Amino acid sequence: GPVICIVGARPNFMKMAPILRAFAAHSPAIPELLVHTGQHYDKDMNDRLFEDLRLPQPDINLGVGSGSHAVQTAEVMRRFEPVVDEKKPSCVLVVGDVNSTLACTLVAVKKGVPVVHVEAGLRSYDRRMPEEINRVLTDQIADRLYTTERSAAANLAREGIAADRISFVGNVMIDSLLSNRALARAPAATVSAFAADPALLAGSAGYGVVTLHRPSNVDHADVLASLLGVLREIADSLPLVFAMHPRTRGNIERFGLSALLDTPRIIVLPPQGYLEMLGLLAGARIVLTDSGGLQEETTALGIPCLTLRENTERPITVDQGTNTMVGTDIDAIRRHAQATLAGQGKSGRIPELWDGHAAERIAADLAG
Ligand code: UD1
């Protein structure tokens, strides 16, 4: 049977695209079936990414949509089970750490279908993060584990996972970045419809990019208000482009915090397409984020990144890359932003095997 490949949420799409291409390019081609759980579904979170990444339309869409963690996970499981029964896959391939990743893994494993996990072994060691639960449980029961950095194997060993299940292949997300870099869209065009002063980004100061969506940062009014406050301060020295996740936009409205963003020096955008985001990142002087993927992409691009979290599951971006953990400590954020703007931003090097060929290594290993 085919390899059933699972995508559910935005950060899955840029990881799956190079894998599907490597399966098609392998000789002989590796048969696959693309299943979308429907966790992310709207134009901004889904459709534009599919177009930009030249992902084929999913063979099957489970259409689960939003819900509590329990409901979302349970709905994916309920709807994915008959697909496994009918398609009789040789294995199920999951990427990353979203609810769809764990839900499909549970279904497959209990039916005796082997699971392949791409981006295995990353650990924040913070079990309040829903993604950490998804990572730990997926890795514990998956059969084949592909890792992006060497620290992952040590994390897995600590959890009793046998070394022969693990293979260090590099980073498929960076495969996507490198193969799309030349196609990135110009920042000025991206912001033009949303900026009071579209010439702002062309100024000699340059600009910074912001994303925020972790529940720990955006679900509490006081935390969110203080983060928006320091962003506003930074914006006095450097115009900021804030690509806003729907969760964050909803909470800013609900908590009555919109006034904090009421300045022409912070340009608020809806979630961006992949090529728009790549263009914005590549031209930025600094990125402030709580995203996992952006920590890696900024390291690959050599752009200083301040991560607004207490911990990271991607330590190589700090040890070797351009990433600095600043948490939600306003003074630390302010200090590191000022240092970066004063030319003391962190420089780094490209981590081992972040070379654009991770998906090919996965295809070769699975076929071999
Ligand atoms: C999910 C992932 C997170 C990832 C993030 C990237 C889990 C546990 N979390 O979080 O790891 O970093 O995606 O975006 O799987 N919504 C829309 N349109 C959509 C999808 C969601 O408006 O297409 C809104 C809904 O109000 C929804 C909220 O966003 O309730 C959160 O969506 P959800 O999929 O539950 O989690 P994310 O916060 O997006």
Side-chain angles (χ1 to χ4, degrees), residues 29-104:
I30 299 173
E32 47 77 18
L33 195 90
L34 182 61
V35 172
H36 193 324
T37 66
Q39 179 175 342
H40 284 174
Y41 44 84
D42 67 28
K43 191 169 188 324
D44 291 340
M45 298 299 285
N46 185 75
D47 304 8
R48 294 172 68 186
L49 283 288
F50 263 72
E51 287 162 27
D52 283 355
L53 292 160
R54 302 174 304 286
L55 267 168
Q57 280 312 300
D59 297 289
I60 296 171
N61 193 319
L62 304 177
V64 300
S66 300
S68 69
H69 285 269
V71 166
Q72 196 171 57
T73 307
E75 274 305 312
V76 173
M77 290 183 69
R78 216 170 57 80
R79 297 182 194 198
F80 184 50
E81 180 167 48
V83 174
V84 176
D85 287 336
E86 191 200 329
K87 302 297 180 185
K88 305 196 178 358
S90 58
C91 65
V92 169
L93 183 148
V94 295
V95 297
D97 56 14
V98 301
N99 287 342
S100 300
T101 306
L102 174 61
C104 292

Side-chain angles (χ1 to χ4, degrees), residues 232-254:
R232 187 163 180 143
E233 269 180 50
I234 294 168
D236 287 337
S237 336
L238 184 72
L240 295 176
V241 179
F242 192 160
M244 201 177 278
H245 189 284
R247 172 195 283 279
T248 310
R249 185 179 291 272
N251 287 348
I252 288 174
E253 279 162 28
R254 196 153 57 86

Side-chain angles (χ1 to χ4, degrees), residues 81-264:
E81 180 167 48
V83 174
V84 176
D85 287 336
E86 191 200 329
K87 302 297 180 185
K88 305 196 178 358
S90 58
C91 65
V92 169
L93 183 148
V94 295
V95 297
D97 56 14
V98 301
N99 287 342
S100 300
T101 306
L102 174 61
C104 292
T105 297
L106 274 170
V107 170
V109 165
K110 290 203 172 177
K111 291 193 163 288
V113 175
V115 170
V116 176
H117 185 206
V118 176
E119 199 190 84
L122 297 180
R123 295 292 180 269
S124 66
Y125 292 96
D126 178 359
R127 295 220 169 163
R128 292 165 305 179
M129 254 182 112
E131 294 81 5
E132 182 76 353
I133 306 300
N134 295 339
R135 291 188 279 257
V136 167
L137 296 178
T138 298
D139 288 339
Q140 193 55 235
I141 58 179
D143 296 80
R144 190 103 198 90
L145 303 175
Y146 292 118
T147 63
T148 55
E149 57 174 277
R150 291 199 181 271
S151 70
N155 294 332
L156 293 167
R158 233 173 268 137
E159 293 167 15
I161 291 167
D164 63 3
R165 285 165 57 199
I166 307 166
S167 185
F168 173 47
V169 294
N171 195 330
V172 289
M173 172 165 256
I174 304 307
D175 291 5
S176 262
L177 182 138
L178 296 176
S179 65
N180 285 294
R181 220 190 139 164
L183 303 174
R185 303 219 167 95
T190 299
V191 304
S192 62
F194 304 95
D197 173 12
L200 194 62
L201 297 198
S204 57
Y207 66 92
V209 169
V210 178
T211 82
L212 281 180
H213 75 287
R214 296 266 157 237
S216 56
N217 283 338
V218 306
D219 284 2
H220 313 281
D222 51 341
V223 177
L224 184 55
S226 77
L227 290 175
L228 297 181
V230 75
L231 291 176
R232 187 163 180 143
E233 269 180 50
I234 294 168
D236 287 337
S237 336
L238 184 72
L240 295 176
V241 179
F242 192 160
M244 201 177 278
H245 189 284
R247 172 195 283 279
T248 310
R249 185 179 291 272
N251 287 348
I252 288 174
E253 279 162 28
R254 196 153 57 86
F255 300 148
L257 301 174
S258 306
L260 286 168
L261 294 173
D262 192 12
T263 157

